[in-house]
Amino acid sequence: MKALKLVMTILAASFFIFFSFSSPSLAADNTSPTTPVSPKNLCKNIPDPTYCKNVLQPYNQTGNVYYYGRASVKKSVSQARKFKSLIEKYLRNRDKLSVPAVRALEDCRQLAGLNLDFLLSSFETVNKTSRVLSTLKAEDVQTLLSAILTNQQTCLDGIQATASSWSVKNGISAPLKNDTKLYSVSLALFTKGWVPKKKKATTWSPGGKQLGTTNRRLPLRMSGQNRAVYEAVSRRKLLQAEDENDEVVSVNDIVTVCQDGSGNFTTINDAVSAAPNNSLASNGYFLIYVTAGVYEEYVSIAKNKRYLMMIGDGINQTIITGNRSVVDGWTTYNSATFAVVAPGFVAVNITFRNTAGAIKHQAVALRNGADLSTFYSCSFEAYQDTLYTHSLRQFYRDCDIYGTVDFIFGNAAVVFQNCNMYPRLPMQNQFNAITAQGRTDPNQNTGISIHNCTIKAADDLAASNGTIKTYLGRPWKEYSTTVYMQSYIDSVVDPAGWREWNGDFALNTSYYAEYNNTGPGSDTTNRVRWPGYHVIGNSSDVGNFTVFNFLLGDDWLPQTGVPFNSGLLS
């Protein structure tokens, strides 16, 4: 693989705390995390100071940030267990609940299980040390703590939207909100005590010297029969090495899905079930080769199906399709045709589709909550809420995304590179919003970065009378964060660029930015004048949102075999 690299001459400020909009109080507090401090003084620099003080008050009055941070994360683990038990209690009485309410509770059960895993992993880290962590380790934990807040919000949104029973709403919503405040305290204290103030280069030095990560050659281990399948796929130039410095993807085993029965499986779900559980990155990928065909399946890659790679025969050749929607009683979360939460997932040459149509409102083609996940040369097709970039760290390269209202949404740390965004023709009286980013907390390390992409009208919208308005995005949550950089924006985008969600909600706290874009829709002269909107002129500022800085992608993307640009284009 040849990944184009551009080394930033000046390392940008840590992406863990974005500019002044993210957390001005934390950024301005230079007190050492080892200095004893009272809960009252410590909580002045944390979101919801009153709640923070009440949580920390019972603990030692002369503790430091590390002491209080460990106490907060430990308490968070306890509360996560209690909440998971509460969800199980409601589900034991599912016969008394509506189908939509049960589905929302099932979402909450899955999310609560993930939260408990994430908190236990985070506590293991913070309990070992009272010092600033390495950049990579700090980002791992901050990413998990950020995802916990996202999972809480997703559970709450589903319960409030679908649970008709007052007792369910009240019984779940109150502890959800209180636990979310506690998790926010844990995230803030972790950011203050364990996260480096400045990012340190891991693969590239400021002078541009390569330090070894992308020179590493990954071994190729497989049987002769599997090698034949691998080489057949490689002829499409997906995984083969081009010269001695390129990566070779590590593949442990390969199975083929073919509807005519000539492969190992006839359904994708059966192939996923056959994948090993809790595989390690060092074991290599379990590769599922899905031959051309239309697969009417709802596929869910569970958290234990780690490091799974799925390759199809091409966009509009291998198609995975479904038609679930909110109108038909599903939550937005579980309306997805394809869903993945297992870390290290890679998909190549596949179309993900939801055919519910604009009239069914929220209907997700793909929901991704998989950390360190990658989609290359894929297509995502639906209308409202097409691509749910739910949480954790994600990368999309050379993909096509079609939709109408909020068709790229969620709260992951995600970079789209060399992708095509195609706004479609929505229902009458609707408008198009390409993004709806869902960051809820100033200390989350999340946002949408759109780099070297193309924004053009889909054929049906292009053939309309031109009255449909299309916007780059709108603020779904309070700290909504989206950046377009070095992209082509066609005239389909309204001159205002961005649209309100509801009145002045999040216009001060969101962060929307554009940098060095081209095309008739890139003119910023008549853009919105919100405090949270920025036209960036300095490459060192926008550098926070590159693959290198935003995802630390040089550390994990090479092993996927997917091409990427580490920094800005020259």
Side-chain angles (χ1 to χ4, degrees):
M1 178 197 75
K2 279 189 176 178
L4 298 177
K5 308 286 185 180
L6 175 66
V7 182
M8 306 297 293
T9 56
I10 301 176
L11 289 176
S14 171
F15 75 96
F16 299 120
I17 302 178
F18 292 129
F19 309 110
S20 61
F21 81 95
S22 287
S23 184
S25 55
L26 283 176
D29 181 14
N30 294 318
T31 304
S32 170
T34 60
T35 302
V37 61
S38 69
K40 180 179 179 181
N41 288 332
L42 177 60
C43 290
K44 289 178 181 178
N45 301 313
I46 287 177
D48 200 338
T50 300
Y51 180 87
C52 171
K53 186 177 70 172
N54 290 338
V55 167
L56 300 183
Q57 199 71 45
Y59 298 99
N60 190 330
Q61 298 298 294
T62 59
N64 59 26
V65 170
Y66 295 114
Y67 174 84
Y68 290 121
R70 277 189 287 272
S72 180
V73 176
K74 186 175 182 179
K75 183 175 177 63
S76 294
V77 171
S78 175
Q79 289 304 112
R81 285 199 175 102
K82 290 179 182 177
F83 183 73
K84 190 170 183 289
S85 297
L86 177 64
I87 296 297
E88 296 286 3
K89 176 182 176 182
Y90 276 100
L91 284 171
R92 283 195 291 271
N93 296 308
R94 65 175 62 216
D95 293 343
K96 300 178 182 179
L97 302 173
S98 67
V99 171
V102 170
R103 288 171 176 165
L105 286 166
E106 288 173 341
D107 291 351
C108 290
R109 177 170 60 186
Q110 183 194 68
L111 295 163
L114 292 170
N115 278 357
L116 186 56
D117 291 346
F118 296 166
L119 281 165
L120 287 169
S121 176
S122 299
F123 183 71
E124 183 179 3
T125 299
V126 301
N127 200 40
K128 287 179 179 178
T129 181
S130 294
R131 60 180 176 81
V132 173
L133 296 170
S134 69
T135 298
L136 290 174
K137 190 61 180 177
E139 195 218 6
D140 285 345
V141 177
Q142 190 179 13
T143 296
L144 295 180
L145 294 175
S146 295
I148 289 164
L149 293 176
T150 304
N151 291 343
Q152 291 287 105
Q153 187 64 52
T154 302
C155 174
L156 181 62
D157 288 346
I159 290 293
Q160 292 181 335
T162 64
S164 57
S165 168
W166 180 89
S167 62
V168 172
K169 279 189 180 181
N170 190 58
I172 298 294
S173 297
L176 257 177
K177 292 176 180 177
N178 283 332
D179 290 351
T180 299
K181 292 179 181 179
L182 174 61
Y183 301 157
S184 177
V185 171
S186 294
L187 174 59
L189 292 175
F190 177 80
T191 303
K192 185 171 176 61
W194 284 270
V195 173
K197 299 302 180 186
K198 298 289 184 181
K199 176 174 299 195
K200 295 181 180 179
T202 55
T203 302
W204 293 88
S205 70
K209 181 180 178 182
Q210 199 167 358
L211 301 183
T213 298
T214 55
N215 270 335
R216 186 179 62 216
R217 226 176 142 76
L218 301 176
L220 185 64
R221 306 183 300 274
M222 61 180 69
S223 67
Q225 181 181 3
N226 284 336
R227 182 178 293 275
V229 176
Y230 175 86
E231 289 175 350
V233 176
S234 293
R235 281 197 292 272
R236 295 174 176 85
K237 297 185 178 181
L238 300 179
L239 299 174
Q240 82 243 33
E242 296 179 1
D243 61 43
E244 63 180 9
N245 292 321
D246 286 330
E247 296 292 339
V248 176
V249 174
S250 177
V251 176
N252 188 13
D253 199 3
I254 296 178
V255 297
T256 300
V257 179
C258 191
Q259 290 176 320
D260 65 8
S262 62
N264 304 97
F265 302 97
T266 58
T267 70
I268 297 168
N269 278 304
D270 285 346
V272 171
S273 296
N277 294 331
N278 299 314
S279 183
L280 301 175
S282 58
N283 294 338
Y285 290 102
F286 182 84
L287 196 158
I288 300 175
Y289 173 39
V290 186
T291 61
V294 178
Y295 296 82
E296 296 182 5
E297 299 185 52
Y298 294 98
V299 180
S300 181
I301 312 296
K303 65 183 181 180
N304 62 337
K305 299 297 182 179
R306 302 162 66 95
Y307 294 98
L308 190 154
M309 179 179 286
M310 191 174 292
I311 299 178
D313 270 327
I315 291 174
N316 292 329
Q317 297 298 310
T318 298
I319 301 168
I320 305 173
T321 185
N323 63 2
R324 289 176 178 170
S325 69
V326 167
V327 169
D328 288 336
W330 301 90
T331 62
T332 301
Y333 185 82
N334 61 33
S335 71
T337 299
F338 192 103
V340 55
V341 296
F345 180 77
V346 180
V348 184
N349 274 7
I350 298 173
T351 290
F352 302 92
R353 184 177 290 167
N354 189 314
T355 62
I359 197 170
K360 293 299 181 73
H361 296 282
Q362 296 96 327
V364 175
L366 181 131
R367 186 192 80 236
N368 185 6
D371 199 21
L372 308 178
S373 56
T374 308
F375 289 78
Y376 175 44
S377 189
C378 290
S379 180
F380 309 92
E381 302 174 8
Y383 288 84
Q384 183 171 346
D385 290 2
T386 300
L387 177 54
Y388 197 171
T389 55
H390 182 264
S391 54
L392 302 166
R393 292 166 287 191
Q394 309 178 16
F395 179 68
Y396 297 76
R397 171 81 179 206
D398 296 344
C399 292
D400 299 333
I401 307 105
Y402 297 82
T404 56
V405 182
D406 307 332
F407 66 90
I408 300 171
F409 75 113
N411 195 26
V414 55
V415 174
F416 292 90
Q417 198 170 83
N418 294 29
C419 294
N420 300 305
M421 284 83 173
Y422 293 115
R424 306 176 79 169
L425 185 67
M427 291 193 298
Q428 191 173 4
N429 298 322
Q430 283 188 330
F431 58 88
N432 291 327
I434 296 170
T435 65
Q437 206 281 327
R439 183 173 175 175
T440 60
D441 191 283
N443 290 299
Q444 288 178 309
N445 57 356
T446 56
I448 295 174
S449 173
I450 296 175
H451 183 209
N452 194 34
C453 293
T454 298
I455 294 87
K456 296 181 69 174
D459 290 343
D460 58 352
L461 182 60
S464 69
N465 59 14
T467 61
I468 302 298
K469 290 185 177 293
T470 295
Y471 301 92
L472 297 173
R474 58 181 186 147
W476 181 29
K477 302 297 182 183
E478 189 172 3
Y479 295 94
S480 184
T481 302
T482 303
V483 174
Y484 286 78
M485 53 191 191
Q486 296 184 317
S487 293
Y488 177 86
I489 303 175
D490 208 350
S491 57
V492 66
V493 172
D494 188 85
W498 307 81
R499 184 181 175 105
E500 301 87 348
W501 183 270
N502 184 15
D504 62 358
F505 170 74
L507 302 189
N508 294 324
T509 51
S510 60
Y511 184 87
Y512 290 146
E514 298 179 54
Y515 169 77
N516 201 22
N517 298 306
T518 60
S522 67
D523 186 353
T524 60
T525 304
N526 295 311
R527 288 293 196 253
V528 295
R529 294 292 185 263
W530 308 339
Y533 171 72
H534 307 269
V535 177
I536 299 178
N538 190 325
S539 62
S540 63
D541 289 339
V542 79
N544 284 293
F545 295 95
T546 60
V547 165
F548 177 76
N549 280 314
F550 197 45
L551 300 180
L552 297 186
D554 288 47
D555 184 68
W556 59 274
L557 279 172
Q559 72 182 25
T560 68
V562 173
F564 67 96
N565 296 91
S566 182
L568 296 172
L569 303 180
S570 57

